[in-house]
Amino acid sequence: MSTRLIQGPAVTTLPIDHRGRQVLLDAYAYQGNNEHEQILALIHRSPEADPDVVPIVRLHSGCVTGDVFHSLRCDCYQQLQLALDAICTAPLGAIVYLPYQEGRGIGLYKKLLAYGRQDRGADTIEANVEIGVPVDARDYEFAAWVLRDIGFRTVTLLSGNPLKKSALVKNGIQVNKCAPLKSASNRYNERYIRTKRKRMSHDI
């Protein structure tokens, strides 16, 4: 993407309820090349935070079925909640939320098409191949640009996905370390998690 077309940030405060506790976050919104490319960065800062502290960061791809409806077919909701647990108690941290990356970048409609193939026995990789879409179509150049804009040039990354780390490093973000978020599996997402671990080299 061309960073010259990025608009923002639009800045406000966002009070949230997280596990029964009120937390005040700084919200930064950015508009990318087209109306579908939008990013929300939610930042938690403790007043007493050391100015040299390395922020913890979660890059979270939007997932309507998981984040909104708590689908058991993936681990997106659990990952988001674990990320909020960490960030809302850290001296400095952020969730960079990428709603346009639904279904690893293929969109909601095609994600459900792939689900249909999974219902007939394909794993997540095979299902995407069968419907003619990339296994992972996500790009993190925009997210890296946002991190630089909010002053996060060195981060601890809350992820076990090696592609996220390499993409950030490629785009000028130093990853101090990765801290994978590990959630419990269930009978609906066991194969999904196993595929990420064994075929996509995720540390989960």
Side-chain angles (χ1 to χ4, degrees):
M1 66 171 294
S2 174
T3 54
R4 63 186 170 84
L5 296 179
I6 292 175
Q7 300 177 50
V11 182
T12 188
T13 55
L14 187 69
I16 68 167
D17 179 281
H18 179 59
R19 303 194 191 273
R21 184 168 73 95
Q22 293 182 4
V23 183
L24 191 63
L25 303 174
D26 296 325
Y28 290 68
Y30 295 83
Q31 173 71 61
N33 283 350
N34 59 62
E35 63 182 11
H36 302 294
E37 285 186 318
Q38 298 178 345
I39 284 181
L40 174 66
L42 295 176
I43 305 170
H44 176 260
R45 305 175 190 269
S46 294
E48 66 276 9
D50 186 322
D52 296 323
V53 68
V54 174
I56 61 172
V57 170
R58 167 73 179 175
L59 301 185
H60 193 88
S61 299
C63 177
V64 169
T65 51
D67 298 342
V68 178
F69 296 105
H70 305 180
S71 167
L72 297 177
R73 294 188 68 139
C74 63
D75 62 348
C76 298
Y77 175 72
Q78 290 80 8
Q79 293 274 309
L80 182 58
Q81 296 307 304
L82 289 171
L84 281 168
D85 288 343
I87 287 160
C88 290
T89 55
L92 180 61
I95 289 181
V96 179
Y97 194 85
L98 302 97
Y100 63 95
Q101 288 190 350
E102 179 79 41
R104 295 181 186 152
I106 66 172
L108 180 62
Y109 175 73
K110 290 181 180 178
K111 181 175 82 169
L112 265 66
L113 284 180
Y115 277 179
R117 299 302 178 100
Q118 293 170 36
D119 291 341
R120 295 190 287 275
D123 68 19
T124 52
I125 292 176
E126 294 161 350
N128 281 31
V129 171
E130 286 179 14
I131 67 170
V133 297
V135 172
D136 194 332
R138 292 173 292 183
D139 179 277
Y140 297 100
E141 181 185 356
F142 190 6
W145 193 97
V146 168
L147 287 173
R148 291 195 301 272
D149 193 63
I150 62 177
F152 288 9
R153 294 180 176 271
T154 300
V155 303
T156 292
L157 185 62
L158 296 177
S159 177
N161 182 350
L163 293 180
K164 286 185 180 179
K165 177 183 178 181
S166 61
L168 288 184
V169 171
K170 177 182 176 182
N171 285 285
I173 302 299
Q174 180 177 341
V175 179
N176 186 48
K177 67 176 181 178
C178 289
L181 299 170
K182 301 191 178 185
S183 55
S185 62
N186 62 71
R187 67 189 181 98
Y188 298 102
N189 69 10
E190 285 177 341
R191 192 179 186 192
Y192 161 87
I193 291 176
R194 185 168 63 249
T195 300
K196 287 206 295 186
R197 183 184 298 121
K198 292 187 175 180
R199 300 193 64 186
M200 302 178 76
S201 301
H202 288 209
D203 182 9
I204 55 176

